[in-house]
mmCIF file of all heavy atoms in Angstrom:
data_model
loop_
_atom_site.group_PDB
_atom_site.id
_atom_site.type_symbol
_atom_site.label_atom_id
_atom_site.label_comp_id
_atom_site.label_asym_id
_atom_site.label_seq_id
_atom_site.Cartn_x
_atom_site.Cartn_y
_atom_site.Cartn_z
ATOM 1 N N ASP A 138 -5.358 21.216 -0.030
ATOM 2 C CA ASP A 138 -5.602 22.337 0.893
ATOM 3 C C ASP A 138 -5.266 21.951 2.340
ATOM 4 O O ASP A 138 -5.166 22.810 3.213
ATOM 5 C CB ASP A 138 -7.059 22.823 0.783
ATOM 6 C CG ASP A 138 -8.094 21.768 1.151
ATOM 7 O OD1 ASP A 138 -7.719 20.592 1.376
ATOM 8 O OD2 ASP A 138 -9.289 22.101 1.205
ATOM 9 N N GLU A 139 -5.070 20.625 2.587
ATOM 10 C CA GLU A 139 -4.822 20.194 3.972
ATOM 11 C C GLU A 139 -3.491 20.707 4.515
ATOM 12 O O GLU A 139 -3.278 20.706 5.721
ATOM 13 C CB GLU A 139 -4.875 18.662 4.076
ATOM 14 C CG GLU A 139 -6.230 18.123 3.696
ATOM 15 C CD GLU A 139 -6.520 16.726 4.229
ATOM 16 O OE1 GLU A 139 -5.758 16.228 5.058
ATOM 17 O OE2 GLU A 139 -7.535 16.161 3.798
ATOM 18 N N VAL A 140 -2.605 21.154 3.627
ATOM 19 C CA VAL A 140 -1.310 21.689 4.099
ATOM 20 C C VAL A 140 -1.511 22.947 4.937
ATOM 21 O O VAL A 140 -0.661 23.316 5.738
ATOM 22 C CB VAL A 140 -0.350 22.012 2.927
ATOM 23 C CG1 VAL A 140 0.013 20.758 2.158
ATOM 24 C CG2 VAL A 140 -0.939 23.070 1.982
ATOM 25 N N TYR A 141 -2.651 23.622 4.759
ATOM 26 C CA TYR A 141 -2.896 24.884 5.465
ATOM 27 C C TYR A 141 -3.435 24.682 6.879
ATOM 28 O O TYR A 141 -3.611 25.651 7.615
ATOM 29 C CB TYR A 141 -3.898 25.745 4.691
ATOM 30 C CG TYR A 141 -3.452 26.156 3.290
ATOM 31 C CD1 TYR A 141 -4.228 25.845 2.175
ATOM 32 C CD2 TYR A 141 -2.277 26.878 3.093
ATOM 33 C CE1 TYR A 141 -3.850 26.246 0.898
ATOM 34 C CE2 TYR A 141 -1.891 27.269 1.811
ATOM 35 C CZ TYR A 141 -2.680 26.954 0.725
ATOM 36 O OH TYR A 141 -2.308 27.348 -0.539
ATOM 37 N N GLY A 142 -3.779 23.436 7.232
ATOM 38 C CA GLY A 142 -4.246 23.174 8.594
ATOM 39 C C GLY A 142 -5.758 23.203 8.702
ATOM 40 O O GLY A 142 -6.456 22.705 7.820
ATOM 41 N N SER A 143 -6.247 23.778 9.789
ATOM 42 C CA SER A 143 -7.684 23.717 10.064
ATOM 43 C C SER A 143 -8.215 25.112 10.347
ATOM 44 O O SER A 143 -7.561 25.906 11.032
ATOM 45 C CB SER A 143 -7.896 22.816 11.286
ATOM 46 O OG SER A 143 -9.263 22.712 11.580
ATOM 47 N N LEU A 144 -9.412 25.407 9.830
ATOM 48 C CA LEU A 144 -10.035 26.721 10.056
ATOM 49 C C LEU A 144 -11.091 26.637 11.148
ATOM 50 O O LEU A 144 -11.685 25.573 11.364
ATOM 51 C CB LEU A 144 -10.719 27.204 8.777
ATOM 52 C CG LEU A 144 -9.828 27.580 7.586
ATOM 53 C CD1 LEU A 144 -10.671 27.673 6.315
ATOM 54 C CD2 LEU A 144 -9.104 28.899 7.847
ATOM 55 N N GLY A 145 -11.364 27.805 11.776
ATOM 56 C CA GLY A 145 -12.523 27.916 12.659
ATOM 57 C C GLY A 145 -13.747 28.249 11.809
ATOM 58 O O GLY A 145 -13.768 27.969 10.607
ATOM 59 N N ASP A 146 -14.736 28.901 12.442
ATOM 60 C CA ASP A 146 -15.988 29.166 11.725
ATOM 61 C C ASP A 146 -15.815 30.137 10.563
ATOM 62 O O ASP A 146 -16.583 30.130 9.614
ATOM 63 C CB ASP A 146 -17.034 29.753 12.682
ATOM 64 C CG ASP A 146 -17.450 28.719 13.712
ATOM 65 O OD1 ASP A 146 -17.200 27.524 13.461
ATOM 66 O OD2 ASP A 146 -17.997 29.114 14.765
ATOM 67 N N GLU A 147 -14.813 30.997 10.665
ATOM 68 C CA GLU A 147 -14.648 32.060 9.664
ATOM 69 C C GLU A 147 -13.390 31.848 8.843
ATOM 70 O O GLU A 147 -12.479 31.151 9.264
ATOM 71 C CB GLU A 147 -14.480 33.419 10.377
ATOM 72 C CG GLU A 147 -15.565 33.752 11.357
ATOM 73 C CD GLU A 147 -16.704 34.484 10.690
ATOM 74 O OE1 GLU A 147 -16.434 35.522 10.065
ATOM 75 O OE2 GLU A 147 -17.846 33.984 10.778
ATOM 76 N N GLY A 148 -13.332 32.546 7.709
ATOM 77 C CA GLY A 148 -12.090 32.651 6.938
ATOM 78 C C GLY A 148 -11.909 31.586 5.874
ATOM 79 O O GLY A 148 -12.688 30.613 5.804
ATOM 80 N N PHE A 149 -10.891 31.792 5.049
ATOM 81 C CA PHE A 149 -10.603 30.909 3.913
ATOM 82 C C PHE A 149 -9.098 30.719 3.797
ATOM 83 O O PHE A 149 -8.331 31.594 4.192
ATOM 84 C CB PHE A 149 -11.103 31.554 2.607
ATOM 85 C CG PHE A 149 -12.580 31.767 2.579
ATOM 86 C CD1 PHE A 149 -13.133 32.963 3.054
ATOM 87 C CD2 PHE A 149 -13.422 30.773 2.109
ATOM 88 C CE1 PHE A 149 -14.504 33.149 3.054
ATOM 89 C CE2 PHE A 149 -14.802 30.965 2.110
ATOM 90 C CZ PHE A 149 -15.342 32.148 2.592
ATOM 91 N N PHE A 150 -8.681 29.610 3.201
ATOM 92 C CA PHE A 150 -7.271 29.437 2.867
ATOM 93 C C PHE A 150 -6.975 30.206 1.586
ATOM 94 O O PHE A 150 -7.680 30.032 0.584
ATOM 95 C CB PHE A 150 -6.940 27.962 2.583
ATOM 96 C CG PHE A 150 -7.167 27.005 3.729
ATOM 97 C CD1 PHE A 150 -7.839 25.799 3.512
ATOM 98 C CD2 PHE A 150 -6.667 27.271 4.999
ATOM 99 C CE1 PHE A 150 -8.024 24.884 4.538
ATOM 100 C CE2 PHE A 150 -6.848 26.353 6.039
ATOM 101 C CZ PHE A 150 -7.532 25.163 5.807
ATOM 102 N N THR A 151 -5.939 31.051 1.626
ATOM 103 C CA THR A 151 -5.459 31.660 0.381
ATOM 104 C C THR A 151 -4.081 31.063 0.106
ATOM 105 O O THR A 151 -3.535 30.339 0.944
ATOM 106 C CB THR A 151 -5.302 33.194 0.510
ATOM 107 O OG1 THR A 151 -4.156 33.467 1.328
ATOM 108 C CG2 THR A 151 -6.544 33.847 1.093
ATOM 109 N N GLU A 152 -3.503 31.430 -1.019
ATOM 110 C CA GLU A 152 -2.165 30.918 -1.355
ATOM 111 C C GLU A 152 -1.117 31.458 -0.381
ATOM 112 O O GLU A 152 0.001 30.930 -0.316
ATOM 113 C CB GLU A 152 -1.786 31.284 -2.793
ATOM 114 C CG GLU A 152 -2.570 30.533 -3.883
ATOM 115 C CD GLU A 152 -3.905 31.165 -4.222
ATOM 116 O OE1 GLU A 152 -4.329 32.131 -3.545
ATOM 117 O OE2 GLU A 152 -4.549 30.684 -5.183
ATOM 118 N N ASP A 153 -1.445 32.502 0.370
ATOM 119 C CA ASP A 153 -0.485 33.065 1.329
ATOM 120 C C ASP A 153 -0.688 32.552 2.759
ATOM 121 O O ASP A 153 0.044 32.944 3.675
ATOM 122 C CB ASP A 153 -0.584 34.605 1.329
ATOM 123 C CG ASP A 153 -0.237 35.172 -0.036
ATOM 124 O OD1 ASP A 153 0.708 34.633 -0.652
ATOM 125 O OD2 ASP A 153 -0.911 36.116 -0.490
ATOM 126 N N THR A 154 -1.675 31.716 2.962
ATOM 127 C CA THR A 154 -1.892 31.149 4.306
ATOM 128 C C THR A 154 -0.663 30.313 4.701
ATOM 129 O O THR A 154 -0.223 29.463 3.918
ATOM 130 C CB THR A 154 -3.159 30.249 4.316
ATOM 131 O OG1 THR A 154 -4.272 31.023 3.898
ATOM 132 C CG2 THR A 154 -3.416 29.657 5.686
ATOM 133 N N PRO A 155 -0.104 30.555 5.899
ATOM 134 C CA PRO A 155 1.063 29.755 6.307
ATOM 135 C C PRO A 155 0.712 28.269 6.422
ATOM 136 O O PRO A 155 -0.400 27.928 6.826
ATOM 137 C CB PRO A 155 1.415 30.325 7.689
ATOM 138 C CG PRO A 155 0.683 31.608 7.798
ATOM 139 C CD PRO A 155 -0.511 31.550 6.892
ATOM 140 N N TYR A 156 1.668 27.435 6.079
ATOM 141 C CA TYR A 156 1.442 25.987 6.178
ATOM 142 C C TYR A 156 1.347 25.570 7.651
ATOM 143 O O TYR A 156 2.120 26.018 8.482
ATOM 144 C CB TYR A 156 2.596 25.229 5.505
ATOM 145 C CG TYR A 156 2.420 25.061 4.000
ATOM 146 C CD1 TYR A 156 1.725 25.991 3.242
ATOM 147 C CD2 TYR A 156 2.950 23.960 3.333
ATOM 148 C CE1 TYR A 156 1.556 25.836 1.869
ATOM 149 C CE2 TYR A 156 2.799 23.792 1.958
ATOM 150 C CZ TYR A 156 2.097 24.735 1.237
ATOM 151 O OH TYR A 156 1.932 24.566 -0.111
ATOM 152 N N ASP A 157 0.399 24.671 7.936
ATOM 153 C CA ASP A 157 0.204 24.203 9.306
ATOM 154 C C ASP A 157 -0.410 22.803 9.287
ATOM 155 O O ASP A 157 -1.503 22.583 9.833
ATOM 156 C CB ASP A 157 -0.744 25.203 10.021
ATOM 157 C CG ASP A 157 -0.918 24.880 11.489
ATOM 158 O OD1 ASP A 157 -0.070 24.174 12.064
ATOM 159 O OD2 ASP A 157 -1.943 25.325 12.063
ATOM 160 N N PRO A 158 0.279 21.834 8.651
ATOM 161 C CA PRO A 158 -0.329 20.508 8.477
ATOM 162 C C PRO A 158 -0.481 19.777 9.802
ATOM 163 O O PRO A 158 0.324 19.953 10.706
ATOM 164 C CB PRO A 158 0.667 19.794 7.559
ATOM 165 C CG PRO A 158 1.966 20.471 7.810
ATOM 166 C CD PRO A 158 1.649 21.898 8.127
ATOM 167 N N ARG A 159 -1.523 18.920 9.912
ATOM 168 C CA ARG A 159 -1.833 18.270 11.197
ATOM 169 C C ARG A 159 -1.731 16.754 11.165
ATOM 170 O O ARG A 159 -1.617 16.132 12.217
ATOM 171 C CB ARG A 159 -3.269 18.612 11.624
ATOM 172 C CG ARG A 159 -3.642 20.079 11.582
ATOM 173 C CD ARG A 159 -2.817 20.868 12.577
ATOM 174 N NE ARG A 159 -3.261 22.254 12.621
ATOM 175 C CZ ARG A 159 -4.131 22.728 13.502
ATOM 176 N NH1 ARG A 159 -4.670 21.947 14.409
ATOM 177 N NH2 ARG A 159 -4.453 24.002 13.490
ATOM 178 N N SER A 160 -1.881 16.155 9.981
ATOM 179 C CA SER A 160 -1.837 14.684 9.934
ATOM 180 C C SER A 160 -0.543 14.265 9.240
ATOM 181 O O SER A 160 0.062 15.061 8.516
ATOM 182 C CB SER A 160 -3.029 14.149 9.126
ATOM 183 O OG SER A 160 -2.872 14.485 7.751
ATOM 184 N N PRO A 161 -0.121 13.002 9.436
ATOM 185 C CA PRO A 161 1.066 12.551 8.688
ATOM 186 C C PRO A 161 0.874 12.735 7.178
ATOM 187 O O PRO A 161 1.814 13.084 6.472
ATOM 188 C CB PRO A 161 1.179 11.074 9.079
ATOM 189 C CG PRO A 161 0.535 11.007 10.436
ATOM 190 C CD PRO A 161 -0.598 11.997 10.409
ATOM 191 N N TYR A 162 -0.351 12.531 6.684
ATOM 192 C CA TYR A 162 -0.601 12.752 5.249
ATOM 193 C C TYR A 162 -0.307 14.195 4.866
ATOM 194 O O TYR A 162 0.462 14.467 3.938
ATOM 195 C CB TYR A 162 -2.059 12.395 4.898
ATOM 196 C CG TYR A 162 -2.510 12.993 3.570
ATOM 197 C CD1 TYR A 162 -1.989 12.525 2.362
ATOM 198 C CD2 TYR A 162 -3.448 14.042 3.526
ATOM 199 C CE1 TYR A 162 -2.380 13.082 1.145
ATOM 200 C CE2 TYR A 162 -3.834 14.602 2.314
ATOM 201 C CZ TYR A 162 -3.304 14.119 1.131
ATOM 202 O OH TYR A 162 -3.688 14.676 -0.074
ATOM 203 N N SER A 163 -0.932 15.147 5.582
ATOM 204 C CA SER A 163 -0.779 16.542 5.157
ATOM 205 C C SER A 163 0.635 17.051 5.420
ATOM 206 O O SER A 163 1.154 17.876 4.656
ATOM 207 C CB SER A 163 -1.842 17.444 5.790
ATOM 208 O OG SER A 163 -1.841 17.329 7.187
ATOM 209 N N ALA A 164 1.288 16.513 6.476
ATOM 210 C CA ALA A 164 2.672 16.920 6.739
ATOM 211 C C ALA A 164 3.581 16.440 5.606
ATOM 212 O O ALA A 164 4.489 17.162 5.165
ATOM 213 C CB ALA A 164 3.146 16.360 8.080
ATOM 214 N N ALA A 165 3.319 15.228 5.121
ATOM 215 C CA ALA A 165 4.148 14.710 4.020
ATOM 216 C C ALA A 165 3.879 15.492 2.736
ATOM 217 O O ALA A 165 4.799 15.793 1.971
ATOM 218 C CB ALA A 165 3.871 13.218 3.829
ATOM 219 N N LYS A 166 2.613 15.838 2.487
ATOM 220 C CA LYS A 166 2.298 16.649 1.293
ATOM 221 C C LYS A 166 2.935 18.036 1.428
ATOM 222 O O LYS A 166 3.469 18.571 0.459
ATOM 223 C CB LYS A 166 0.777 16.785 1.100
ATOM 224 C CG LYS A 166 0.057 15.540 0.647
ATOM 225 C CD LYS A 166 0.467 15.032 -0.727
ATOM 226 C CE LYS A 166 -0.011 15.890 -1.861
ATOM 227 N NZ LYS A 166 0.273 15.262 -3.193
ATOM 228 N N ALA A 167 2.878 18.622 2.611
ATOM 229 C CA ALA A 167 3.472 19.954 2.815
ATOM 230 C C ALA A 167 4.964 19.898 2.514
ATOM 231 O O ALA A 167 5.523 20.781 1.843
ATOM 232 C CB ALA A 167 3.223 20.413 4.250
ATOM 233 N N SER A 168 5.591 18.834 2.991
ATOM 234 C CA SER A 168 7.020 18.680 2.764
ATOM 235 C C SER A 168 7.317 18.593 1.264
ATOM 236 O O SER A 168 8.256 19.226 0.762
ATOM 237 C CB SER A 168 7.453 17.410 3.503
ATOM 238 O OG SER A 168 8.785 17.192 3.326
ATOM 239 N N SER A 169 6.493 17.842 0.541
ATOM 240 C CA SER A 169 6.722 17.721 -0.907
ATOM 241 C C SER A 169 6.494 19.066 -1.600
ATOM 242 O O SER A 169 7.234 19.434 -2.515
ATOM 243 C CB SER A 169 5.839 16.627 -1.520
ATOM 244 O OG SER A 169 4.477 16.983 -1.473
ATOM 245 N N ASP A 170 5.515 19.848 -1.135
ATOM 246 C CA ASP A 170 5.283 21.188 -1.716
ATOM 247 C C ASP A 170 6.535 22.054 -1.553
ATOM 248 O O ASP A 170 6.956 22.750 -2.475
ATOM 249 C CB ASP A 170 4.132 21.910 -1.004
ATOM 250 C CG ASP A 170 2.765 21.293 -1.260
ATOM 251 O OD1 ASP A 170 2.712 20.178 -1.806
ATOM 252 O OD2 ASP A 170 1.750 21.927 -0.903
ATOM 253 N N HIS A 171 7.131 22.001 -0.344
ATOM 254 C CA HIS A 171 8.318 22.823 -0.091
ATOM 255 C C HIS A 171 9.476 22.404 -0.992
ATOM 256 O O HIS A 171 10.231 23.242 -1.487
ATOM 257 C CB HIS A 171 8.742 22.716 1.382
ATOM 258 C CG HIS A 171 7.774 23.394 2.325
ATOM 259 N ND1 HIS A 171 7.241 24.635 2.083
ATOM 260 C CD2 HIS A 171 7.255 23.000 3.511
ATOM 261 C CE1 HIS A 171 6.440 24.984 3.082
ATOM 262 N NE2 HIS A 171 6.423 24.001 3.966
ATOM 263 N N LEU A 172 9.617 21.087 -1.189
ATOM 264 C CA LEU A 172 10.704 20.612 -2.069
ATOM 265 C C LEU A 172 10.503 21.126 -3.492
ATOM 266 O O LEU A 172 11.442 21.600 -4.133
ATOM 267 C CB LEU A 172 10.731 19.075 -2.077
ATOM 268 C CG LEU A 172 11.441 18.420 -0.904
ATOM 269 C CD1 LEU A 172 11.183 16.916 -0.888
ATOM 270 C CD2 LEU A 172 12.940 18.696 -0.968
ATOM 271 N N VAL A 173 9.264 21.049 -3.978
ATOM 272 C CA VAL A 173 8.977 21.496 -5.352
ATOM 273 C C VAL A 173 9.309 22.986 -5.486
ATOM 274 O O VAL A 173 9.979 23.411 -6.436
ATOM 275 C CB VAL A 173 7.492 21.207 -5.708
ATOM 276 C CG1 VAL A 173 7.099 21.862 -7.021
ATOM 277 C CG2 VAL A 173 7.252 19.700 -5.768
ATOM 278 N N MET A 174 8.885 23.772 -4.509
ATOM 279 C CA MET A 174 9.154 25.212 -4.552
ATOM 280 C C MET A 174 10.663 25.484 -4.447
ATOM 281 O O MET A 174 11.184 26.392 -5.101
ATOM 282 C CB MET A 174 8.380 25.883 -3.417
ATOM 283 C CG MET A 174 7.816 27.241 -3.706
ATOM 284 S SD MET A 174 7.324 27.578 -5.400
ATOM 285 C CE MET A 174 5.564 27.649 -5.256
ATOM 286 N N ALA A 175 11.347 24.665 -3.647
ATOM 287 C CA ALA A 175 12.802 24.839 -3.506
ATOM 288 C C ALA A 175 13.513 24.595 -4.836
ATOM 289 O O ALA A 175 14.493 25.270 -5.160
ATOM 290 C CB ALA A 175 13.336 23.884 -2.438
ATOM 291 N N TYR A 176 13.019 23.646 -5.634
ATOM 292 C CA TYR A 176 13.654 23.383 -6.934
ATOM 293 C C TYR A 176 13.428 24.548 -7.899
ATOM 294 O O TYR A 176 14.246 24.789 -8.783
ATOM 295 C CB TYR A 176 13.152 22.046 -7.533
ATOM 296 C CG TYR A 176 13.998 20.898 -7.038
ATOM 297 C CD1 TYR A 176 14.059 20.596 -5.683
ATOM 298 C CD2 TYR A 176 14.791 20.155 -7.911
ATOM 299 C CE1 TYR A 176 14.858 19.585 -5.204
ATOM 300 C CE2 TYR A 176 15.604 19.133 -7.433
ATOM 301 C CZ TYR A 176 15.636 18.851 -6.084
ATOM 302 O OH TYR A 176 16.447 17.845 -5.615
ATOM 303 N N PHE A 177 12.357 25.271 -7.717
ATOM 304 C CA PHE A 177 12.133 26.472 -8.534
ATOM 305 C C PHE A 177 13.130 27.557 -8.122
ATOM 306 O O PHE A 177 13.842 28.115 -8.949
ATOM 307 C CB PHE A 177 10.685 26.967 -8.356
ATOM 308 C CG PHE A 177 10.455 28.325 -8.951
ATOM 309 C CD1 PHE A 177 10.403 28.497 -10.329
ATOM 310 C CD2 PHE A 177 10.301 29.438 -8.132
ATOM 311 C CE1 PHE A 177 10.205 29.760 -10.884
ATOM 312 C CE2 PHE A 177 10.103 30.699 -8.680
ATOM 313 C CZ PHE A 177 10.054 30.860 -10.056
#
Side-chain angles (χ1 to χ4, degrees):
D138 62 353
E139 298 201 10
V140 297
Y141 299 123
S143 181
L144 292 165
D146 293 342
E147 306 271 305
F149 298 90
F150 299 133
T151 73
E152 289 85 353
D153 298 321
T154 302
Y156 275 30
D157 185 20
R159 311 296 185 95
S160 69
Y162 162 70
S163 55
K166 289 297 288 187
S168 179
S169 67
D170 291 12
H171 290 316
L172 278 170
V173 170
M174 216 31 110
Y176 272 62
F177 169 72

